[in-house]
């Protein structure tokens, strides 16, 4: 989900790619329905900012409802108080006695407050569509012949858009902020009628009028987005718009600068940033806040995450424990996830289904699994490099012939297959096999070499068994990797 992150969202590559797909459909002449979660539409200016990014790319457009500047309310005119003239007649005010006569204060009668007008009920769908077309007609160029389209100026506005009776085709995209309309579904019906009218007019896709409607799925009848998609309208769900690179960018910009740039500090910072990225996923506001609060200690992560979530407005809907298409979330949220998606509790991230981190805090192993994935991402390539480098030490410290060492501790081979060459077999020795050779007396390692091999082997075994490294083990591993 898009959040109040520490970076301008326009620079995030995932959002730029997502908006680029929307622009490609518009530029090809297709009308589009853009579905945003309710949490984004109600979350301040986020929806307006996203729409502004699209409008910036359009050379010209018709916007409904348009942005109208609100004039500041005039200050009420308060007449100055009337002061009685000196020695004049009684002003009508009750005298204030200088003694307590025990009588209760008199309560002056108050003027009744005017009743607030009741909000006007929303119009019926047909009336809402007629009003929308009426406002759209006012934004179009005036027709050369007003009588050409009949007596009803709004009923034939679609014909004007398609250039009926040899008129000019309206090529500017009609952009409707449906969430600001009294009946948002009217904008979706406008989409359907516009596409049908353009097809009936026989216009090629490059010259058809097109519209972009921005709405929330809960403002539309159930199943309407799927129906529109079958009618050659591009439906874009705000689902999976950000990925790992976007979250990593937000985290990197929100992290405090390193006091020193030693290799060990840089590697620890890489593990810290990868952990925040993996734990927070697409929830950029949580990622930015955690990046500024967490000190990088695995033992302090849960506490820091709880503090961040307590300070941020969280989703009110709890996502289901079991979700369909969790492994392959696809291009849109599942029907059973719409409530959680609208609340900002679920999203697709890096091709994976992700729940809000507040959900993970209620499940003991969820945060631990994210930490393990992050440590795998950063440390496994370095552990493999360290293993390969240690094979040179094995060749120097062997107490048995290299061929025998390769035969006894090298990679297993299928019966009947030719053995690997000695040098190749030694280069493929695993850390566990090296440690077994040392314990069996085939290797004579120095204390420093023994400590290094034991640290590398222990870290590799823990990560291989889906167990994240705790603070002390992580510190020892970083020290060995940076020697």
């Amino acid at each position: 989900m898009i959040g109040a992150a520490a970076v301008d969202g326009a620079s995030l590559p995932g959002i730029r790619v997502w908006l680029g797909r929307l622009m490609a459909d518009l530029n090809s002449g297709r009308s589009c329905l853009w579905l945003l979660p309710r949490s984004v539409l109600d979350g301040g200016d986020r929806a307006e900012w996203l729409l502004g990014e699209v409008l910036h790319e359009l050379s010209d457009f018709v916007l409904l409802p348009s942005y109208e500047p609100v004039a500041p309310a005039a200050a009420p005119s308060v007449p100055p108080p009337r002061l009685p003239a000196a020695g004049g007649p009684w002003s009508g005010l009750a005298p204030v006695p200088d003694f307590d006569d025990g009588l209760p204060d008199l309560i002056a009668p108050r003027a009744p407050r005017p009743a607030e007008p009741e909000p006007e009920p929303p119009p019926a769908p047909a009336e809402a569509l007629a009003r929308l077309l009426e406002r759209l007609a006012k934004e179009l160029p005036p027709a050369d012949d007003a009588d050409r389209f009949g007596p009803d100026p709004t009923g034939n506005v679609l014909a004007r858009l398609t250039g009926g009776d040899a008129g000019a085709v309206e090529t500017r995209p009609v952009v409707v902020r449906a969430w600001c309309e009294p009946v948002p579904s009217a904008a979706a019906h406008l989409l359907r009628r516009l596409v049908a009218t353009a097809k009936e007019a026989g216009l090629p896709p490059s010259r058809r009028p097109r519209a972009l409607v921005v709405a929330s799925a809960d403002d539309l009848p159930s199943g309407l987005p799927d129906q529109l998609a079958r009618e050659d309208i591009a439906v874009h769900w705000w689902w999976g718009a950000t990925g790992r690179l976007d979250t990593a960018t937000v985290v990197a910009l929100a992290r405090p600068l390193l006091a020193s740039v030693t290799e060990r500090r840089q590697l620890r910072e890489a593990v810290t940033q990868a952990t925040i990225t993996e734990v927070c996923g697409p929830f950029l506001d949580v990622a930015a806040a955690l990046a500024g609060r967490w000190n990088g200690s695995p033992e302090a992560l849960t506490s820091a995450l709880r503090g961040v979530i307590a300070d941020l407005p969280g989703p009110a809907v709890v996502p289901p424990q079991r979700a369909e298409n969790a492994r392959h979330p696809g291009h849109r949220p599942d029907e059973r996830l719409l409530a959680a998606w609208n609340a900002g509790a679920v999203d697709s991230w890096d091709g994976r289904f992700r729940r809000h981190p507040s959900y993970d805090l209620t499940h003991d192993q969820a945060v631990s699994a994210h930490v393990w994935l992050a440590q795998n991402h950063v440390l496994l390539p370095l552990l493999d490099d360290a293993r390969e480098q240690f094979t040179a030490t094995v060749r120097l410290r062997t107490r048995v012939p290299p061929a025998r060492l390769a035969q006894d501790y090298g990679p297993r081979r299928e019966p009947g297959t030719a053995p690997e060459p000695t040098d190749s077999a030694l280069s493929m020795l695993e850390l566990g096999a090296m440690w077994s050779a040392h314990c069996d007396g085939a290797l004579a390692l120095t204390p420093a070499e023994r400590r290094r091999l034991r640290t590398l082997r222990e870290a590799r075994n823990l990560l291989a068994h889906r167990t994240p490294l705790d603070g002390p083990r992580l510190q020892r591993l970083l020290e060995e990797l940076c020697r």
Side-chain angles (χ1 to χ4, degrees):
M1 307 298 294
I2 189 72
V7 63
D8 181 8
S11 63
L12 295 179
I15 293 180
R16 300 310 304 171
V17 170
W18 196 98
L19 295 178
R21 289 196 294 266
L22 177 68
M23 287 300 305
D25 279 334
L26 279 176
N27 291 333
S28 68
R30 300 186 70 187
S31 290
C32 298
L33 173 62
W34 180 3
L35 296 173
L36 286 168
R38 174 57 60 188
S39 60
V40 173
L41 295 175
D42 296 341
D45 297 330
R46 290 182 290 173
E48 298 287 6
W49 173 87
L50 287 171
L51 179 58
E53 290 297 310
V54 174
L55 299 181
H56 180 73
E57 298 294 329
L58 297 173
S59 57
D60 198 4
F61 53 86
V62 177
L63 181 63
L64 297 173
S66 59
Y67 295 118
E68 297 179 358
V70 179
S77 177
V78 180
R82 296 175 56 189
L83 300 178
W90 176 50
S91 65
L93 299 178
V96 180
D98 56 358
F99 61 92
D100 185 4
D101 59 1
L103 296 177
D105 295 334
L106 296 178
I107 301 178
R110 295 183 179 181
R113 294 181 60 182
E116 296 183 359
E118 296 184 0
E120 183 181 353
E127 183 183 357
L129 178 58
R131 292 183 184 180
L132 181 59
L133 288 171
E134 182 180 358
R135 284 184 281 126
L136 176 57
K138 295 178 181 179
E139 300 293 333
L140 300 179
D144 296 335
D145 185 0
D147 297 332
R148 183 174 60 190
F149 298 102
D152 183 5
T154 61
N156 294 287
V157 64
L158 296 173
R160 291 176 58 187
L161 287 171
T162 55
D165 290 343
V169 177
E170 179 58 66
T171 58
R172 295 178 298 169
V174 178
V175 182
V176 184
R177 297 181 294 153
W179 81 92
C180 298
E181 294 286 333
V183 181
S185 60
H189 295 312
L190 169 65
L191 267 179
R192 173 176 283 171
R193 293 188 57 181
L194 177 61
V195 171
T197 305
K199 288 182 178 180
E200 291 175 1
L203 297 174
S206 59
R207 294 188 61 244
R208 289 177 184 172
R210 59 204 190 277
L212 168 63
V213 171
V214 189
S216 171
D218 61 353
D219 288 334
L220 306 178
S222 177
L224 181 59
D226 292 334
Q227 295 176 14
L228 295 176
R230 290 192 293 269
E231 296 174 7
D232 200 28
I233 296 173
V235 179
H236 293 262
W237 295 78
W238 190 255
W239 176 255
T242 57
R244 183 179 299 276
L245 182 57
D246 304 291
T247 311
T249 301
V250 169
V251 171
L253 292 177
R255 287 289 295 165
L257 295 177
L258 291 176
S260 63
V261 291
T262 61
E263 184 180 3
R264 187 185 308 170
R265 291 294 299 273
Q266 287 180 327
L267 181 53
R268 186 176 188 87
E269 178 65 16
V271 175
T272 299
Q273 292 190 19
T275 302
I276 299 172
T277 300
E278 186 62 49
V279 167
C280 299
F283 304 94
L284 304 185
D285 50 353
V286 181
L290 186 61
R293 177 178 297 203
W294 184 41
N295 62 5
S297 169
E299 288 75 14
L301 174 60
T302 300
S303 175
L305 184 59
R306 288 188 189 278
V308 164
I309 291 177
D311 294 341
L312 293 175
V317 177
V318 177
Q321 292 188 6
R322 292 182 176 271
E324 297 293 329
N325 301 325
R327 293 182 178 271
H328 306 287
H331 69 282
R332 54 159 291 176
D334 185 82
E335 287 290 336
R336 282 166 286 189
L337 295 174
L338 285 181
W341 174 71
N342 272 309
V346 296
D347 203 346
S348 172
W349 185 75
D350 244 23
R352 293 154 51 198
F353 174 76
R354 290 297 304 265
R355 297 177 176 88
H356 193 272
S358 59
Y359 173 91
D360 294 338
L361 285 175
T362 63
H363 297 75
D364 295 337
Q365 299 302 318
V367 175
S368 178
H370 292 313
V371 175
W372 169 76
L373 282 172
Q375 292 182 356
N376 264 353
H377 180 73
V378 177
L379 298 175
L380 277 186
L382 301 177
L383 280 169
D384 193 58
D385 289 343
R387 180 204 62 79
E388 187 176 358
Q389 294 170 5
F390 203 82
T391 57
T393 303
V394 169
R395 289 184 174 92
L396 291 175
R397 304 301 185 190
T398 180
R399 289 178 170 176
V400 299
R404 180 181 170 186
L405 187 66
Q407 179 182 356
D408 293 345
Y409 301 99
R412 296 179 180 179
R413 65 179 188 272
E414 294 294 332
T417 58
E420 289 281 347
T422 300
D423 286 344
S424 177
L426 291 179
S427 67
M428 291 187 292
L429 283 177
E430 296 292 342
L431 293 169
M434 298 178 192
W435 183 255
S436 297
H438 164 69
C439 294
D440 295 341
L443 294 179
L445 302 177
T446 66
E449 293 166 347
R450 184 167 60 251
R451 181 181 64 249
R452 178 178 180 83
L453 179 58
R454 182 173 59 247
T455 301
L456 297 176
R457 169 184 168 273
E458 180 185 39
R460 184 65 181 85
N461 283 348
L462 287 172
L463 294 177
H465 290 86
R466 305 178 66 88
T467 303
L469 306 182
D470 58 19
R473 288 188 175 94
L474 179 60
Q475 182 64 26
R476 288 197 296 268
L477 177 61
L478 297 181
E479 292 174 355
E480 293 298 337
L481 291 176
C482 296
R483 290 188 187 277

